Amino acid sequence: MPGTPPPARRAVLRAAALVPAAGLGITACSSGGDGGSNRSAPTAPVDIGAADEVKVGASKLYTDENVVVSRISHDEYKAFSTICTHAKCPINKLEGHKLICPCHGSQFDATNGKVLHDPAVNPLSELPVKVADGKIIAG
């Protein structure tokens, strides 16, 4: 605009420096790529899959339901919410029995929910689980 003085060089540089820093803050606390669409485990019983999908001594991650199921013995199953207790991010990675949160690197044991690596300090929430008609029902 004619007659309007240009912005001071220092103000322009300061604004330019703040934009990337603000973006880093948003990225650091994002949900790890799921858009934050599902940040809760089932609160009512839900059929999550066939019981024989989880072998004895193994764990299986059900990302759509935010549940991990471990089969302790032939007829004993354990289920835990896979919503990280640190920043409520949905956990989407399972290596053996180790759950790894994509947001800040917390790690949990899928067989008992205990924290293996911080920053989380609280264990995962245990969910009721049963097998009915050959299907795993959790929540």
Side-chain angles (χ1 to χ4, degrees), residues 10-99:
R10 186 174 296 191
V12 171
L13 291 174
R14 187 177 305 130
L18 290 177
V19 171
L24 285 175
I26 291 168
T27 301
C29 292
S30 72
S31 64
D34 80 332
S37 59
N38 188 8
R39 291 183 177 232
S40 66
T43 54
V46 62
D47 172 356
I48 59 173
D52 61 2
E53 289 180 349
V54 185
K55 303 297 179 203
V56 174
S59 298
K60 181 168 170 98
L61 179 60
Y62 297 89
T63 55
D64 289 346
E65 292 83 8
N66 293 322
V67 173
V68 64
V69 174
S70 295
R71 191 166 181 182
I72 308 304
S73 65
H74 177 70
D75 59 351
E76 182 184 4
Y77 293 79
K78 292 277 190 173
F80 295 90
S81 165
T82 56
I83 301 300
C84 182
T85 58
H86 171 247
K88 306 297 182 224
C89 294
I91 297 170
N92 61 7
K93 187 173 185 180
L94 176 66
E95 293 178 353
H97 294 294
K98 182 171 52 175
L99 292 159

